[in-house]
Amino acid sequence: MATTYLDHQATTPCDPAVVAAMAPYWSELFANPSSGSHRPGLEAAAAVDLARCSLARHLGVAPQQVVFTSGATEANNLAIKGLVEARRQRGRHLLTLATEHRAVLEPLRYLAGHGFELTVLPVQPDGLVDLNRFSEALRDDTLLVSVMSANNEIGVLQPLAAIGALCRERGIALHSDGAQVFGHQAIHPGELGIDLFSLSGHKLYGPKGIGALVIAPGISPAPQQHGGGQEGGLRGGTLPVPLIVGLQRAAELASHDWEERQQRLGGLRDRLLAGLLELGGVQLNGSLKHRLAHNLNIQVEGVDGNQLHRALRRQLAVSGGSACSSGSPSHVLAALGLSPAKAAASIRFGLGRPTTAAEIDLAVLVVAAALNELRG
Ligand SMILES: Cc1ncc(COP(=O)(O)O)c(C=O)c1O
């Protein structure tokens, strides 16, 4: 029996149009874009330039603000460690939220082990930051704030415009991990006061292994990968032209259908939630109002988490939390106040472009059957 894939927050399938756009760049137009001394090299460089300009347009920034990386993890590391290295004379305090992805928490913890002071703010039971508490936590020596745009487990959207305004008033740099937002909603980091914005190709039906850091004018993180001077000296390494072209195509496709997709998937998500609530003993994790349309995360009462996920995986590809923390209890659900047992008996559903109403109805039936079996 085929597995129904509802784990689009972990990753998305590469769109066939993206695969087609990348195809010529593997073995026909394969030249190194840094090879400026011959025509194939110049053609590869032109493809990269075009992709950079196109991506920049979707983000409302100038092309030179886009630095290609291997994904959001690398973009987060460059933003956080690079900014702190460049500005370390100005302070030693760093601020983030307890629900951030590990690709943000780990670089910050690394810095905390190297003389910086890290505040990890708790969130409210609905996953949102308390803005008063946030404002009080900012200090004169705060160097950097990092708050994700949308959470990868519970889909919660933080009030970034308000956070950006508070940071701007105090002259504090703001980084946002936008891996789950870019390609799913219109987002212009500059308008929100975001100085450093990370994104990842494989979350928007593009290829794995490519992402970008978008850097506001006047912000100059120190390079974290030294090499051949690519990307204005900020990120050494031969540029992966096929992946860059793939990211460009994925962003174009997303810009055409994100509104319609959000509406359609929001409707399917509500249908899924209604069906699951009818089963009884099911509760929503995280705010429904301030949330990505294609995410649902629920906790199920009266069942063992391991047994629940074992029963589901025969037919459904869903997850208990972040793909990057598989096996360990979710620090995001813990931050909402869930016990380890309740967090383990939680399910993340990530709907995506290919998701159909029939798959949603099947998912409800599969969960119902699992609960019947486990609850006896
Ligand atoms: C919010 C968030 N940040 C960072 C990452 C890591 O992105 P990448 O796989 O591109 O390194 C992910 C993906 O798991 C994510 O969801």
Side-chain angles (χ1 to χ4, degrees):
M1 189 181 301
T3 306
T4 299
Y5 187 83
L6 290 174
D7 202 14
H8 290 87
Q9 255 94 55
T11 196
T12 55
C14 207
D15 194 287
V18 170
V19 175
M22 290 193 292
Y25 292 93
W26 296 111
S27 43
E28 288 164 49
L29 304 169
F30 62 87
N32 190 325
S34 298
S35 298
S37 60
H38 52 67
R39 196 187 176 103
L42 292 171
E43 281 170 355
V48 171
D49 282 349
L50 204 70
R52 199 188 303 279
C53 289
S54 169
L55 205 58
R57 238 186 352 266
H58 296 306
L59 289 154
V61 300
Q64 62 273 21
Q65 289 178 243
V66 176
V67 173
F68 290 113
T69 64
S70 62
T73 302
E74 190 194 333
N76 289 345
N77 273 269
L78 174 57
I80 293 169
K81 291 194 271 186
L83 191 283
V84 167
E85 187 184 329
R87 291 195 171 181
R88 66 178 156 222
Q89 261 46 288
R90 296 202 203 168
R92 55 184 289 273
H93 180 234
L94 311 169
L95 178 65
T96 195
L97 303 186
T99 45
E100 291 294 312
H101 193 276
R102 285 183 61 199
V104 161
L105 291 173
E106 293 303 326
L108 287 169
R109 285 183 187 134
Y110 170 84
L111 291 167
H114 287 77
F116 293 88
E117 195 184 328
L118 175 62
T119 300
V120 181
L121 269 186
V123 293
Q124 303 175 101
D126 63 0
L128 286 157
V129 65
D130 175 336
L131 281 173
N132 288 328
R133 215 164 161 182
F134 174 82
S135 173
E136 282 162 16
L138 295 175
R139 306 189 333 202
D140 290 342
D141 67 340
T142 306
L143 258 187
L144 177 69
V145 167
S146 186
V147 174
M148 72 202 317
S149 312
N151 188 272
N152 50 301
E153 293 189 36
I154 52 174
V156 164
L157 301 159
Q158 296 295 347
L160 273 179
I163 289 171
L166 286 167
C167 289
R168 225 161 237 195
E169 263 169 34
R170 311 278 296 255
I172 298 168
L174 172 63
H175 166 249
S176 187
D177 178 344
Q180 295 289 344
V181 140
F182 183 63
H184 303 280
Q185 292 193 348
I187 183 150
H188 287 179
E191 285 171 13
L192 297 169
I194 298 168
D195 298 301
L196 296 146
F197 182 78
S198 308
L199 61 92
S200 172
H202 72 97
K203 307 290 186 184
L204 64 136
Y205 309 92
K208 294 169 182 59
I210 186 70
L213 179 65
V214 181
I215 305 173
I219 302 283
S220 310
Q224 299 300 302
Q225 181 162 304
H226 302 91
Q230 290 89 346
E231 298 300 85
L234 250 185
R235 198 271 187 180
T238 302
L239 288 170
V241 184
L243 303 182
I244 289 172
V245 169
L247 173 59
Q248 170 199 353
R249 189 73 186 110
E252 274 167 13
L253 292 174
S255 74
H256 293 146
D257 84 336
W258 70 261
E259 259 172 312
E260 175 274 326
R261 190 162 22 104
Q262 215 182 25
Q263 272 221 328
R264 191 179 70 81
L265 296 183
L268 290 181
R269 191 271 313 276
D270 292 345
R271 177 176 177 141
L272 177 61
L273 178 59
L276 293 170
L277 289 175
E278 264 183 34
L279 303 179
V282 167
Q283 274 187 51
L284 177 70
N285 291 327
S287 165
L288 186 59
K289 188 170 167 210
H290 304 280
R291 190 186 199 103
L292 290 171
H294 57 293
N295 169 278
L296 187 65
N297 194 314
I298 55 152
Q299 52 177 293
V300 181
E301 283 163 23
V303 295
D304 172 76
N306 283 332
Q307 287 182 355
L308 173 66
H309 281 280
R310 218 171 298 131
L312 295 178
R313 73 171 164 238
R314 292 193 287 261
Q315 281 176 272
L316 287 185
V318 289
S319 71
S322 161
C324 304
S325 315
S326 274
S328 40
S330 159
H331 69 278
V332 173
L333 298 180
L336 303 192
L338 271 70
S339 66
K342 282 189 169 168
S346 291
I347 313 169
R348 172 180 75 172
F349 298 89
L351 284 58
R353 200 179 260 150
T355 304
T356 62
E359 286 180 322
I360 293 302
D361 295 344
L362 176 74
V364 174
L365 289 177
V366 172
V367 176
L371 295 192
N372 278 342
E373 183 187 318
L374 297 175
R375 286 177 178 160

